[in-house]
Amino acid sequence: MTAGPSGVPGADIGYMLVLEASTYQASVALVAGTRVIAEREVATGRAEHEHLMPAVAAVLDEAGVGVAALDRVVCGAGPGSFTSLRIAAALGKGLASAPGGPRLASVPSLLLIVAGAADRLAAGTYLASIDALRGERHAALVRLERGAGGAGGAGAGGGDGVRIVPASAARRLPEKVVGEWAREAGAMMIGPGCAIEAWPAAHGVLLLRDHVSDADLESWEPDYGRLAEAEVRRAAIAADRAGA
Amino acid sequence: MTRVLGIETSCDETSAAVVDGAGDDVVLRSLVILSQDAHAVFGGVVPEIASRAHLTSIVPVVRRALEEASLGSDGLDAIAVTYTPGLVGALLVGVSYAKALAFATGRPLVPVHHLEGHLFAAALEHRDAIPPFTALLVSGGHTMVIDVAAWGDYRLLGATRDDAAGEAFDKVGKLLGLPYPGGRHVEALALQGVPGRYPFTRPMLRQNQRPGDADYFDVSFSGIKTAVLRAVEDGAHDAPADAAAGGGSASGQAQRHADIARGFQDAVIGTLVAKTARAARKYGRTRIVVGGGVACNRALAAALRREAAAFGATVFTPSPRLATDNAAMIARAGLFRLARGDVATLDLNAYATAGLPGLRAA
């Protein structure tokens, strides 16, 4: 493991470069210990130029940190935008493929919504949600607890005793159902276009250390949250034939 | 000597290769091609499935290409990647991976146009397949006749006005009930067909065409595809010699399909050969280079060689693994572009289509 910068709390954690791109508002953060060293937000929709890789370079340049000094490159694991997730994943794999490069890891993107906005949220249960297109949303229940642990404590991942706890698996549901789920769970909806507006933010990884998982460099792929459309149609045809 | 890693993910092949050399003295050190077979059940390439497969294939494919070249990525001088044309989602995997690897290793990133790669493919196997030459690019996505005065100096003489030649082969394969992709199956079936039983008109080929006519070098394959459809549907009614081939029996239908395949292939090849020969004659070229997946068609190569011999030209075709989509040609074209200083910045994107650098109209 690469040592973090001297003078940074939790420096033994090392540098993590985080690439989150499950929505069209992507972000890149370099974190070490309990600190965000540098961060950029990037729009990733259709454009003449691709901006995520320049953001990676800018973040590392601002911090004066080279790729070889990174301990991990952490990709937002999804669910979310197929193409944006894949760009981040391919960038992560490219960085991790370099000699002496960082280990590849991932972190659930829906957790990054709550974790990224934690400094303005009260303790409670949230339904983190993003658009899944076709009238559906990806969603997961997430609990934000305060006072459950100290700064950098095991499981807390952050300062001020903030703790992010997944309270359900991620699901893809019709928009109406998502709202009902939030009401039944007594949860506040948070995410792009929700009552509490927030985007998955790369710096949220500081509160999610327990949820960062090492990933196999060769075989890892994001959780896209849905099959390719052709696979859905083929499965429907197969089901029709089986029922006929 | 300069060592370049090439990466190609424009469609449904994940490929990486290493070339080593300078100028036209280039050696292919390694080539790995992983073809996706998941698309056959869909009858065509599904972009999202292709893109997902590239992401889980790219690391092992690049790793193996470097191992076979006995190199680490720090032993490279540059990384070349296909950025256009192709499926954007698929291209983005290669482009993003290449950008990050180039950045992490401090190596220049070289953007390569896929079609320029095809122009270079034959040169990896044939030392004389170098400019000046007439190029026939024939694949599932493109059909072009290009005059190559020098590397990077391309004159577009003709192109398809609708379907690409490979696309026509695949569609006709489907009409004949053959597996996808249909090109090689149509070629195999045509071998059993009797020439002349289905004398389809050679598309966009007239005796009275003159240089300067808009369609002198252009091709079109949608009409013949429709003619094949009619022949398949009409069966014995439109085929004068069908009775001799067995009428409406199962074996008769099989022979009829073989005859249709033969008639289709002869017509397409007839047009491609005639247009390419016109181009070579007009510009006085004594070399003809074929690239793209349809270059695997042996009947095309044989017909082109026969025609070229009539005016003293030599035909160069790459072997099948270099004719179809592959990273060796991308690395080779990348070596040329690197020497010209054509390197990309980190905001390089992928594009479904973009002009071939150095291409001008006739």
Side-chain angles (χ1 to χ4, degrees), chain A residues 47-48 50 53 82 86 91 93 97-99 218-219 224 226 230 234, chain B residues 42 48 51-52 55-56 63 73 96-97 99-100 103-104 347 349 351:
Chain A
E48 179 68 12
E50 193 283 310
M53 187 62 217
F82 295 173
R86 210 161 25 236
L91 291 175
K93 288 190 175 197
S97 294
E218 295 195 352
S219 64
Y224 295 105
R226 66 160 79 231
R234 186 161 175 266
Chain B
F42 298 102
E48 178 59 24
S51 304
R52 293 183 183 191
L55 184 63
T56 53
R63 183 173 285 169
S73 52
S96 300
Y97 180 86
K99 286 200 297 189
F103 173 76
D347 61 359
N349 212 340
Y351 305 95

PDB file of all heavy atoms in Angstrom, chain A residues 47-48 50 53 82 86 91 93 97-99 218-219 224 226 230 234, chain B residues 42 48 51-52 55-56 63 73 96-97 99-100 103-104 347 349 351:
ATOM      1  N   ALA A  47     -21.032  14.955 -26.475  1.00  0.00           N
ATOM      2  CA  ALA A  47     -20.238  16.170 -26.656  1.00  0.00           C
ATOM      3  C   ALA A  47     -19.133  15.894 -27.654  1.00  0.00           C
ATOM      4  O   ALA A  47     -18.798  14.738 -27.923  1.00  0.00           O
ATOM      5  CB  ALA A  47     -19.643  16.617 -25.325  1.00  0.00           C
ATOM      6  N   GLU A  48     -18.604  16.953 -28.195  1.00  0.00           N
ATOM      7  CA  GLU A  48     -17.523  16.815 -29.165  1.00  0.00           C
ATOM      8  C   GLU A  48     -16.290  16.182 -28.504  1.00  0.00           C
ATOM      9  O   GLU A  48     -15.610  15.363 -29.107  1.00  0.00           O
ATOM     10  CB  GLU A  48     -17.167  18.200 -29.736  1.00  0.00           C
ATOM     11  CG  GLU A  48     -16.029  18.209 -30.744  1.00  0.00           C
ATOM     12  CD  GLU A  48     -16.406  17.513 -32.061  1.00  0.00           C
ATOM     13  OE1 GLU A  48     -17.584  17.232 -32.270  1.00  0.00           O
ATOM     14  OE2 GLU A  48     -15.475  17.261 -32.857  1.00  0.00           O
ATOM     15  N   GLU A  50     -14.456  14.406 -24.851  1.00  0.00           N
ATOM     16  CA  GLU A  50     -14.720  13.616 -23.649  1.00  0.00           C
ATOM     17  C   GLU A  50     -13.973  14.288 -22.495  1.00  0.00           C
ATOM     18  O   GLU A  50     -12.794  14.612 -22.615  1.00  0.00           O
ATOM     19  CB  GLU A  50     -14.234  12.175 -23.870  1.00  0.00           C
ATOM     20  CG  GLU A  50     -14.708  11.186 -22.835  1.00  0.00           C
ATOM     21  CD  GLU A  50     -13.934  11.292 -21.551  1.00  0.00           C
ATOM     22  OE1 GLU A  50     -12.680  11.289 -21.586  1.00  0.00           O
ATOM     23  OE2 GLU A  50     -14.589  11.392 -20.489  1.00  0.00           O
ATOM     24  N   MET A  53     -11.539  11.986 -18.615  1.00  0.00           N
ATOM     25  CA  MET A  53     -10.094  11.755 -18.518  1.00  0.00           C
ATOM     26  C   MET A  53      -9.327  13.056 -18.261  1.00  0.00           C
ATOM     27  O   MET A  53      -8.424  13.074 -17.406  1.00  0.00           O
ATOM     28  CB  MET A  53      -9.584  11.062 -19.791  1.00  0.00           C
ATOM     29  CG  MET A  53      -8.121  10.642 -19.713  1.00  0.00           C
ATOM     30  SD  MET A  53      -7.793   9.430 -18.410  1.00  0.00           S
ATOM     31  CE  MET A  53      -6.182   9.978 -17.852  1.00  0.00           C
ATOM     32  N   PHE A  82     -25.453   3.499 -18.989  1.00  0.00           N
ATOM     33  CA  PHE A  82     -24.565   2.452 -19.529  1.00  0.00           C
ATOM     34  C   PHE A  82     -23.225   3.040 -19.991  1.00  0.00           C
ATOM     35  O   PHE A  82     -22.154   2.588 -19.589  1.00  0.00           O
ATOM     36  CB  PHE A  82     -25.197   1.764 -20.740  1.00  0.00           C
ATOM     37  CG  PHE A  82     -26.454   0.982 -20.462  1.00  0.00           C
ATOM     38  CD1 PHE A  82     -27.177   0.450 -21.517  1.00  0.00           C
ATOM     39  CD2 PHE A  82     -26.913   0.759 -19.177  1.00  0.00           C
ATOM     40  CE1 PHE A  82     -28.327  -0.284 -21.295  1.00  0.00           C
ATOM     41  CE2 PHE A  82     -28.068   0.037 -18.941  1.00  0.00           C
ATOM     42  CZ  PHE A  82     -28.782  -0.494 -20.012  1.00  0.00           C
ATOM     43  N   ARG A  86     -19.427   2.922 -18.300  1.00  0.00           N
ATOM     44  CA  ARG A  86     -18.396   2.162 -19.017  1.00  0.00           C
ATOM     45  C   ARG A  86     -17.172   3.020 -19.296  1.00  0.00           C
ATOM     46  O   ARG A  86     -16.038   2.522 -19.277  1.00  0.00           O
ATOM     47  CB  ARG A  86     -18.995   1.622 -20.316  1.00  0.00           C
ATOM     48  CG  ARG A  86     -18.388   0.344 -20.757  1.00  0.00           C
ATOM     49  CD  ARG A  86     -19.207  -0.441 -21.739  1.00  0.00           C
ATOM     50  NE  ARG A  86     -20.119   0.325 -22.526  1.00  0.00           N
ATOM     51  CZ  ARG A  86     -21.435   0.094 -22.589  1.00  0.00           C
ATOM     52  NH1 ARG A  86     -21.971  -0.881 -21.905  1.00  0.00           N
ATOM     53  NH2 ARG A  86     -22.207   0.839 -23.351  1.00  0.00           N
ATOM     54  N   LEU A  91     -11.586   3.769 -18.127  1.00  0.00           N
ATOM     55  CA  LEU A  91     -10.501   4.638 -17.646  1.00  0.00           C
ATOM     56  C   LEU A  91      -9.836   4.015 -16.418  1.00  0.00           C
ATOM     57  O   LEU A  91      -8.607   3.986 -16.301  1.00  0.00           O
ATOM     58  CB  LEU A  91     -11.043   6.028 -17.301  1.00  0.00           C
ATOM     59  CG  LEU A  91     -11.512   6.917 -18.453  1.00  0.00           C
ATOM     60  CD1 LEU A  91     -12.125   8.214 -17.917  1.00  0.00           C
ATOM     61  CD2 LEU A  91     -10.375   7.225 -19.419  1.00  0.00           C
ATOM     62  N   LYS A  93      -9.722   0.894 -15.575  1.00  0.00           N
ATOM     63  CA  LYS A  93      -8.942  -0.283 -15.964  1.00  0.00           C
ATOM     64  C   LYS A  93      -7.634   0.118 -16.649  1.00  0.00           C
ATOM     65  O   LYS A  93      -6.605  -0.529 -16.471  1.00  0.00           O
ATOM     66  CB  LYS A  93      -9.775  -1.177 -16.888  1.00  0.00           C
ATOM     67  CG  LYS A  93     -10.898  -1.913 -16.162  1.00  0.00           C
ATOM     68  CD  LYS A  93     -11.550  -2.980 -17.039  1.00  0.00           C
ATOM     69  CE  LYS A  93     -12.577  -3.779 -16.231  1.00  0.00           C
ATOM     70  NZ  LYS A  93     -12.948  -5.050 -16.866  1.00  0.00           N
ATOM     71  N   SER A  97      -3.974  -0.794 -15.269  1.00  0.00           N
ATOM     72  CA  SER A  97      -3.160  -1.696 -16.093  1.00  0.00           C
ATOM     73  C   SER A  97      -1.698  -1.245 -16.199  1.00  0.00           C
ATOM     74  O   SER A  97      -0.846  -2.001 -16.656  1.00  0.00           O
ATOM     75  CB  SER A  97      -3.737  -1.781 -17.511  1.00  0.00           C
ATOM     76  OG  SER A  97      -4.996  -2.400 -17.500  1.00  0.00           O
ATOM     77  N   ALA A  98      -1.431  -0.013 -15.821  1.00  0.00           N
ATOM     78  CA  ALA A  98      -0.063   0.505 -15.938  1.00  0.00           C
ATOM     79  C   ALA A  98       0.851  -0.204 -14.942  1.00  0.00           C
ATOM     80  O   ALA A  98       0.410  -0.611 -13.867  1.00  0.00           O
ATOM     81  CB  ALA A  98      -0.060   2.005 -15.683  1.00  0.00           C
ATOM     82  N   PRO A  99       2.128  -0.363 -15.308  1.00  0.00           N
ATOM     83  CA  PRO A  99       3.062  -0.981 -14.367  1.00  0.00           C
ATOM     84  C   PRO A  99       3.086  -0.199 -13.051  1.00  0.00           C
ATOM     85  O   PRO A  99       3.233   1.022 -13.061  1.00  0.00           O
ATOM     86  CB  PRO A  99       4.413  -0.873 -15.094  1.00  0.00           C
ATOM     87  CG  PRO A  99       4.057  -0.730 -16.540  1.00  0.00           C
ATOM     88  CD  PRO A  99       2.765   0.002 -16.582  1.00  0.00           C
ATOM     89  N   GLU A 218      -9.566  -7.780 -14.804  1.00  0.00           N
ATOM     90  CA  GLU A 218      -9.980  -8.281 -16.110  1.00  0.00           C
ATOM     91  C   GLU A 218     -11.493  -8.356 -16.257  1.00  0.00           C
ATOM     92  O   GLU A 218     -12.065  -7.884 -17.223  1.00  0.00           O
ATOM     93  CB  GLU A 218      -9.355  -9.658 -16.358  1.00  0.00           C
ATOM     94  CG  GLU A 218      -7.833  -9.617 -16.451  1.00  0.00           C
ATOM     95  CD  GLU A 218      -7.259 -10.881 -17.037  1.00  0.00           C
ATOM     96  OE1 GLU A 218      -8.017 -11.845 -17.241  1.00  0.00           O
ATOM     97  OE2 GLU A 218      -6.037 -10.907 -17.273  1.00  0.00           O
ATOM     98  N   SER A 219     -12.150  -8.978 -15.303  1.00  0.00           N
ATOM     99  CA  SER A 219     -13.555  -9.338 -15.517  1.00  0.00           C
ATOM    100  C   SER A 219     -14.562  -8.345 -14.959  1.00  0.00           C
ATOM    101  O   SER A 219     -15.749  -8.432 -15.274  1.00  0.00           O
ATOM    102  CB  SER A 219     -13.828 -10.713 -14.901  1.00  0.00           C
ATOM    103  OG  SER A 219     -13.638 -10.651 -13.492  1.00  0.00           O
ATOM    104  N   TYR A 224     -25.002  -2.510 -14.474  1.00  0.00           N
ATOM    105  CA  TYR A 224     -25.710  -1.603 -15.381  1.00  0.00           C
ATOM    106  C   TYR A 224     -27.161  -1.379 -14.945  1.00  0.00           C
ATOM    107  O   TYR A 224     -27.800  -0.417 -15.340  1.00  0.00           O
ATOM    108  CB  TYR A 224     -25.696  -2.153 -16.810  1.00  0.00           C
ATOM    109  CG  TYR A 224     -24.312  -2.213 -17.412  1.00  0.00           C
ATOM    110  CD1 TYR A 224     -23.636  -3.422 -17.550  1.00  0.00           C
ATOM    111  CD2 TYR A 224     -23.678  -1.061 -17.854  1.00  0.00           C
ATOM    112  CE1 TYR A 224     -22.370  -3.481 -18.106  1.00  0.00           C
ATOM    113  CE2 TYR A 224     -22.418  -1.105 -18.409  1.00  0.00           C
ATOM    114  CZ  TYR A 224     -21.759  -2.323 -18.537  1.00  0.00           C
ATOM    115  OH  TYR A 224     -20.509  -2.371 -19.087  1.00  0.00           O
ATOM    116  N   ARG A 226     -29.771  -2.947 -15.796  1.00  0.00           N
ATOM    117  CA  ARG A 226     -30.744  -3.567 -16.705  1.00  0.00           C
ATOM    118  C   ARG A 226     -30.000  -4.236 -17.860  1.00  0.00           C
ATOM    119  O   ARG A 226     -28.865  -3.882 -18.175  1.00  0.00           O
ATOM    120  CB  ARG A 226     -31.766  -2.567 -17.235  1.00  0.00           C
ATOM    121  CG  ARG A 226     -31.220  -1.500 -18.138  1.00  0.00           C
ATOM    122  CD  ARG A 226     -32.321  -0.862 -18.990  1.00  0.00           C
ATOM    123  NE  ARG A 226     -33.131   0.124 -18.281  1.00  0.00           N
ATOM    124  CZ  ARG A 226     -34.454   0.113 -18.257  1.00  0.00           C
ATOM    125  NH1 ARG A 226     -35.106  -0.861 -18.835  1.00  0.00           N
ATOM    126  NH2 ARG A 226     -35.124   1.069 -17.639  1.00  0.00           N
ATOM    127  N   ALA A 230     -31.847  -5.605 -26.595  1.00  0.00           N
ATOM    128  CA  ALA A 230     -31.968  -6.795 -27.451  1.00  0.00           C
ATOM    129  C   ALA A 230     -32.119  -8.057 -26.604  1.00  0.00           C
ATOM    130  O   ALA A 230     -32.829  -8.992 -26.975  1.00  0.00           O
ATOM    131  CB  ALA A 230     -30.747  -6.914 -28.366  1.00  0.00           C
ATOM    132  N   ARG A 234     -35.310 -10.577 -26.668  1.00  0.00           N
ATOM    133  CA  ARG A 234     -35.085 -12.001 -26.932  1.00  0.00           C
ATOM    134  C   ARG A 234     -35.674 -12.853 -25.811  1.00  0.00           C
ATOM    135  O   ARG A 234     -36.290 -13.895 -26.064  1.00  0.00           O
ATOM    136  CB  ARG A 234     -33.579 -12.255 -27.055  1.00  0.00           C
ATOM    137  CG  ARG A 234     -33.250 -13.656 -27.464  1.00  0.00           C
ATOM    138  CD  ARG A 234     -31.847 -13.773 -28.007  1.00  0.00           C
ATOM    139  NE  ARG A 234     -31.531 -15.153 -28.272  1.00  0.00           N
ATOM    140  CZ  ARG A 234     -30.920 -15.944 -27.405  1.00  0.00           C
ATOM    141  NH1 ARG A 234     -30.539 -15.480 -26.228  1.00  0.00           N
ATOM    142  NH2 ARG A 234     -30.675 -17.195 -27.696  1.00  0.00           N
TER     143      ARG A 234
ATOM    144  N   PHE B  42     -28.700 -13.018 -32.410  1.00  0.00           N
ATOM    145  CA  PHE B  42     -29.503 -11.834 -32.703  1.00  0.00           C
ATOM    146  C   PHE B  42     -29.530 -11.525 -34.205  1.00  0.00           C
ATOM    147  O   PHE B  42     -30.203 -10.599 -34.634  1.00  0.00           O
ATOM    148  CB  PHE B  42     -28.968 -10.619 -31.949  1.00  0.00           C
ATOM    149  CG  PHE B  42     -29.028 -10.771 -30.450  1.00  0.00           C
ATOM    150  CD1 PHE B  42     -27.901 -11.082 -29.721  1.00  0.00           C
ATOM    151  CD2 PHE B  42     -30.229 -10.630 -29.772  1.00  0.00           C
ATOM    152  CE1 PHE B  42     -27.949 -11.231 -28.347  1.00  0.00           C
ATOM    153  CE2 PHE B  42     -30.296 -10.780 -28.393  1.00  0.00           C
ATOM    154  CZ  PHE B  42     -29.160 -11.084 -27.680  1.00  0.00           C
ATOM    155  N   GLU B  48     -24.934  -2.568 -27.597  1.00  0.00           N
ATOM    156  CA  GLU B  48     -24.755  -2.567 -26.145  1.00  0.00           C
ATOM    157  C   GLU B  48     -24.061  -3.843 -25.668  1.00  0.00           C
ATOM    158  O   GLU B  48     -23.187  -3.801 -24.794  1.00  0.00           O
ATOM    159  CB  GLU B  48     -26.114  -2.395 -25.440  1.00  0.00           C
ATOM    160  CG  GLU B  48     -26.070  -2.426 -23.923  1.00  0.00           C
ATOM    161  CD  GLU B  48     -25.172  -1.356 -23.304  1.00  0.00           C
ATOM    162  OE1 GLU B  48     -24.931  -0.332 -23.947  1.00  0.00           O
ATOM    163  OE2 GLU B  48     -24.702  -1.584 -22.161  1.00  0.00           O
ATOM    164  N   SER B  51     -20.425  -3.555 -26.539  1.00  0.00           N
ATOM    165  CA  SER B  51     -19.704  -2.626 -25.660  1.00  0.00           C
ATOM    166  C   SER B  51     -19.395  -3.280 -24.319  1.00  0.00           C
ATOM    167  O   SER B  51     -18.293  -3.136 -23.778  1.00  0.00           O
ATOM    168  CB  SER B  51     -20.543  -1.365 -25.437  1.00  0.00           C
ATOM    169  OG  SER B  51     -20.881  -0.776 -26.666  1.00  0.00           O
ATOM    170  N   ARG B  52     -20.371  -3.992 -23.779  1.00  0.00           N
ATOM    171  CA  ARG B  52     -20.146  -4.666 -22.491  1.00  0.00           C
ATOM    172  C   ARG B  52     -19.050  -5.722 -22.608  1.00  0.00           C
ATOM    173  O   ARG B  52     -18.217  -5.874 -21.707  1.00  0.00           O
ATOM    174  CB  ARG B  52     -21.456  -5.300 -22.004  1.00  0.00           C
ATOM    175  CG  ARG B  52     -22.503  -4.268 -21.636  1.00  0.00           C
ATOM    176  CD  ARG B  52     -23.774  -4.894 -21.081  1.00  0.00           C
ATOM    177  NE  ARG B  52     -24.769  -3.847 -20.819  1.00  0.00           N
ATOM    178  CZ  ARG B  52     -25.894  -4.023 -20.139  1.00  0.00           C
ATOM    179  NH1 ARG B  52     -26.194  -5.212 -19.652  1.00  0.00           N
ATOM    180  NH2 ARG B  52     -26.723  -3.024 -19.949  1.00  0.00           N
ATOM    181  N   LEU B  55     -15.518  -4.320 -22.571  1.00  0.00           N
ATOM    182  CA  LEU B  55     -15.014  -3.894 -21.259  1.00  0.00           C
ATOM    183  C   LEU B  55     -14.415  -5.060 -20.472  1.00  0.00           C
ATOM    184  O   LEU B  55     -13.434  -4.881 -19.754  1.00  0.00           O
ATOM    185  CB  LEU B  55     -16.147  -3.234 -20.450  1.00  0.00           C
ATOM    186  CG  LEU B  55     -15.730  -2.661 -19.095  1.00  0.00           C
ATOM    187  CD1 LEU B  55     -14.708  -1.536 -19.269  1.00  0.00           C
ATOM    188  CD2 LEU B  55     -16.939  -2.150 -18.323  1.00  0.00           C
ATOM    189  N   THR B  56     -14.997  -6.236 -20.615  1.00  0.00           N
ATOM    190  CA  THR B  56     -14.465  -7.386 -19.868  1.00  0.00           C
ATOM    191  C   THR B  56     -13.379  -8.134 -20.662  1.00  0.00           C
ATOM    192  O   THR B  56     -12.785  -9.067 -20.142  1.00  0.00           O
ATOM    193  CB  THR B  56     -15.594  -8.367 -19.488  1.00  0.00           C
ATOM    194  OG1 THR B  56     -16.327  -8.703 -20.661  1.00  0.00           O
ATOM    195  CG2 THR B  56     -16.520  -7.738 -18.466  1.00  0.00           C
ATOM    196  N   ARG B  63      -3.138  -7.479 -22.346  1.00  0.00           N
ATOM    197  CA  ARG B  63      -2.087  -8.160 -21.571  1.00  0.00           C
ATOM    198  C   ARG B  63      -1.435  -9.257 -22.400  1.00  0.00           C
ATOM    199  O   ARG B  63      -0.217  -9.384 -22.438  1.00  0.00           O
ATOM    200  CB  ARG B  63      -2.720  -8.741 -20.300  1.00  0.00           C
ATOM    201  CG  ARG B  63      -1.740  -9.407 -19.368  1.00  0.00           C
ATOM    202  CD  ARG B  63      -2.420  -9.803 -18.080  1.00  0.00           C
ATOM    203  NE  ARG B  63      -2.672  -8.654 -17.213  1.00  0.00           N
ATOM    204  CZ  ARG B  63      -3.428  -8.679 -16.129  1.00  0.00           C
ATOM    205  NH1 ARG B  63      -4.036  -9.794 -15.775  1.00  0.00           N
ATOM    206  NH2 ARG B  63      -3.579  -7.606 -15.387  1.00  0.00           N
ATOM    207  N   SER B  73       3.909  -2.625 -20.697  1.00  0.00           N
ATOM    208  CA  SER B  73       3.431  -1.395 -21.336  1.00  0.00           C
ATOM    209  C   SER B  73       4.451  -0.274 -21.212  1.00  0.00           C
ATOM    210  O   SER B  73       4.411   0.701 -21.964  1.00  0.00           O
ATOM    211  CB  SER B  73       2.077  -0.980 -20.749  1.00  0.00           C
ATOM    212  OG  SER B  73       2.136  -0.930 -19.346  1.00  0.00           O
ATOM    213  N   SER B  96     -11.189   5.001 -24.190  1.00  0.00           N
ATOM    214  CA  SER B  96     -11.029   5.361 -22.779  1.00  0.00           C
ATOM    215  C   SER B  96      -9.878   4.575 -22.145  1.00  0.00           C
ATOM    216  O   SER B  96      -9.049   5.140 -21.420  1.00  0.00           O
ATOM    217  CB  SER B  96     -12.331   5.081 -22.012  1.00  0.00           C
ATOM    218  OG  SER B  96     -13.388   5.834 -22.568  1.00  0.00           O
ATOM    219  N   TYR B  97      -9.842   3.283 -22.431  1.00  0.00           N
ATOM    220  CA  TYR B  97      -8.762   2.456 -21.880  1.00  0.00           C
ATOM    221  C   TYR B  97      -7.398   2.951 -22.381  1.00  0.00           C
ATOM    222  O   TYR B  97      -6.457   3.104 -21.597  1.00  0.00           O
ATOM    223  CB  TYR B  97      -8.979   0.992 -22.282  1.00  0.00           C
ATOM    224  CG  TYR B  97      -7.924   0.058 -21.754  1.00  0.00           C
ATOM    225  CD1 TYR B  97      -8.024  -0.492 -20.480  1.00  0.00           C
ATOM    226  CD2 TYR B  97      -6.812  -0.262 -22.521  1.00  0.00           C
ATOM    227  CE1 TYR B  97      -7.042  -1.333 -19.983  1.00  0.00           C
ATOM    228  CE2 TYR B  97      -5.822  -1.100 -22.037  1.00  0.00           C
ATOM    229  CZ  TYR B  97      -5.944  -1.644 -20.766  1.00  0.00           C
ATOM    230  OH  TYR B  97      -4.969  -2.475 -20.277  1.00  0.00           O
ATOM    231  N   LYS B  99      -6.568   5.916 -23.505  1.00  0.00           N
ATOM    232  CA  LYS B  99      -6.223   7.228 -22.947  1.00  0.00           C
ATOM    233  C   LYS B  99      -5.618   7.080 -21.558  1.00  0.00           C
ATOM    234  O   LYS B  99      -4.598   7.705 -21.234  1.00  0.00           O
ATOM    235  CB  LYS B  99      -7.480   8.115 -22.865  1.00  0.00           C
ATOM    236  CG  LYS B  99      -7.942   8.647 -24.200  1.00  0.00           C
ATOM    237  CD  LYS B  99      -8.840   9.863 -24.076  1.00  0.00           C
ATOM    238  CE  LYS B  99     -10.124   9.618 -23.365  1.00  0.00           C
ATOM    239  NZ  LYS B  99     -11.033  10.777 -23.465  1.00  0.00           N
ATOM    240  N   ALA B 100      -6.284   6.261 -20.726  1.00  0.00           N
ATOM    241  CA  ALA B 100      -5.806   6.111 -19.352  1.00  0.00           C
ATOM    242  C   ALA B 100      -4.446   5.422 -19.313  1.00  0.00           C
ATOM    243  O   ALA B 100      -3.562   5.809 -18.540  1.00  0.00           O
ATOM    244  CB  ALA B 100      -6.828   5.329 -18.536  1.00  0.00           C
ATOM    245  N   PHE B 103      -1.819   7.862 -20.505  1.00  0.00           N
ATOM    246  CA  PHE B 103      -1.562   8.867 -19.466  1.00  0.00           C
ATOM    247  C   PHE B 103      -0.708   8.269 -18.340  1.00  0.00           C
ATOM    248  O   PHE B 103       0.272   8.876 -17.893  1.00  0.00           O
ATOM    249  CB  PHE B 103      -2.893   9.362 -18.912  1.00  0.00           C
ATOM    250  CG  PHE B 103      -2.773  10.276 -17.730  1.00  0.00           C
ATOM    251  CD1 PHE B 103      -2.387  11.603 -17.894  1.00  0.00           C
ATOM    252  CD2 PHE B 103      -3.041   9.814 -16.447  1.00  0.00           C
ATOM    253  CE1 PHE B 103      -2.271  12.450 -16.790  1.00  0.00           C
ATOM    254  CE2 PHE B 103      -2.931  10.648 -15.349  1.00  0.00           C
ATOM    255  CZ  PHE B 103      -2.538  11.974 -15.516  1.00  0.00           C
ATOM    256  N   ALA B 104      -1.093   7.073 -17.915  1.00  0.00           N
ATOM    257  CA  ALA B 104      -0.390   6.454 -16.780  1.00  0.00           C
ATOM    258  C   ALA B 104       1.052   6.084 -17.121  1.00  0.00           C
ATOM    259  O   ALA B 104       1.910   6.086 -16.250  1.00  0.00           O
ATOM    260  CB  ALA B 104      -1.161   5.220 -16.323  1.00  0.00           C
ATOM    261  N   ASP B 347      -8.754  14.610 -24.238  1.00  0.00           N
ATOM    262  CA  ASP B 347     -10.194  14.740 -24.462  1.00  0.00           C
ATOM    263  C   ASP B 347     -10.639  14.038 -25.735  1.00  0.00           C
ATOM    264  O   ASP B 347     -11.762  14.242 -26.204  1.00  0.00           O
ATOM    265  CB  ASP B 347     -10.630  16.207 -24.474  1.00  0.00           C
ATOM    266  CG  ASP B 347      -9.955  17.004 -25.580  1.00  0.00           C
ATOM    267  OD1 ASP B 347      -9.135  16.417 -26.321  1.00  0.00           O
ATOM    268  OD2 ASP B 347     -10.254  18.200 -25.710  1.00  0.00           O
ATOM    269  N   ASN B 349     -12.382  11.779 -28.210  1.00  0.00           N
ATOM    270  CA  ASN B 349     -13.681  11.121 -28.104  1.00  0.00           C
ATOM    271  C   ASN B 349     -13.797  10.073 -29.208  1.00  0.00           C
ATOM    272  O   ASN B 349     -12.917   9.958 -30.061  1.00  0.00           O
ATOM    273  CB  ASN B 349     -14.800  12.156 -28.218  1.00  0.00           C
ATOM    274  CG  ASN B 349     -16.018  11.782 -27.398  1.00  0.00           C
ATOM    275  OD1 ASN B 349     -16.198  10.615 -27.038  1.00  0.00           O
ATOM    276  ND2 ASN B 349     -16.854  12.746 -27.099  1.00  0.00           N
ATOM    277  N   TYR B 351     -16.269   8.567 -32.386  1.00  0.00           N
ATOM    278  CA  TYR B 351     -17.278   9.078 -33.310  1.00  0.00           C
ATOM    279  C   TYR B 351     -17.770   7.949 -34.214  1.00  0.00           C
ATOM    280  O   TYR B 351     -16.958   7.166 -34.721  1.00  0.00           O
ATOM    281  CB  TYR B 351     -16.697  10.200 -34.178  1.00  0.00           C
ATOM    282  CG  TYR B 351     -16.104  11.326 -33.358  1.00  0.00           C
ATOM    283  CD1 TYR B 351     -14.746  11.338 -33.065  1.00  0.00           C
ATOM    284  CD2 TYR B 351     -16.916  12.324 -32.842  1.00  0.00           C
ATOM    285  CE1 TYR B 351     -14.202  12.347 -32.283  1.00  0.00           C
ATOM    286  CE2 TYR B 351     -16.379  13.339 -32.062  1.00  0.00           C
ATOM    287  CZ  TYR B 351     -15.019  13.339 -31.783  1.00  0.00           C
ATOM    288  OH  TYR B 351     -14.479  14.330 -31.010  1.00  0.00           O
TER     289      TYR B 351
END
